Amino acid sequence: EVQLVESGGGLVQPGGSLRLSCVVSGFTFSTYNMNWVRQAPGKGLEWVSYINPTSSTIYYADSVKGRFTISIDNGKNSLYLQMNSLRAEDTAVYYCARASAWSGNPYYFDNWGQGTLVTVSS
Amino acid sequence: DIQMTQSPSTLSASRGDRVTITCRASQRISRWLAWYQQKPGKAPNLLIYEASNLASGVPPRFSGSGSGAEFTLTISSLQPDDVATYYCQQYDSYWTFGQGTKVEIK
């Protein structure tokens, strides 16, 4: 069974930092691209960042570029999101999401974690 | 950036009704469109990919259609378990979600 479990959320002051983790199981982590997606309270879904298994291709949404850093540790089956210079508008549930398997086609998100809440407030 | 617009924002229908949600892209995205269902307090769950392919384990009352810039998600016979918010997502160029459609039972 595919499982993705996020952790690391919490309350942080504006300008602060937080590191989210996503530990996966049930599939070969080193062969899948991964993503972070967030959802502000009562709002819709927003893609945040993408990484491929070798970390050679990384993308960020404009809203987090220069402040967030995505990374992976294949040995620990883990995905990370380092979040710096946090703002109130970064308050959201953060989900890790697995991209669909390689098929030569673009990737959708076929499995999601349960999410971890990040609250940025003084 | 590709923008995705869903309609309606909220939908109320009776059990057994046929329900249709529309998603429009700001530019053509071929068939690179997915639909997700999100129940309150839960993570999104993949329903449809490549506009019309049913994800594993999804009931056949769900179907998707469309290509280019206009897409639809149809629930052929609405069930109480279908109460949720539904999101479309384009994956032709990066990833963008629609604003969501909340489906309620009358």
Side-chain angles (χ1 to χ4, degrees), chain A residues 7-66:
Chain A
S7 61
L11 175 64
V12 60
Q13 292 189 337
S17 298
L18 212 55
R19 189 195 196 207
L20 305 183
S21 300
C22 172
V23 178
V24 311
S25 59
F27 65 98
T28 305
F29 180 65
S30 60
T31 63
Y32 282 86
N33 305 312
M34 297 295 296
N35 297 268
W36 287 99
V37 178
R38 68 184 180 182
Q39 186 171 37
K43 302 297 184 182
L45 300 166
E46 179 189 17
W47 168 77
V48 172
S49 185
Y50 160 100
I51 188 167
N52 74 341
T54 61
S55 303
S56 61
T57 302
I58 288 174
Y59 303 126
Y60 297 100
D62 288 344
S63 57
V64 306
K65 202 172 293 183

Side-chain angles (χ1 to χ4, degrees), chain A residues 39 47 50 95 106-107 109 113, chain B residues 32 36 38 43 87 89 91 95:
Chain A
Q39 186 171 37
W47 168 77
Y50 160 100
Y95 297 100
Y107 302 106
F109 303 160
Chain B
W32 308 129
Y36 300 87
Q38 186 178 34
Y87 294 93
Q89 176 208 41
Y91 52 100
W95 300 271

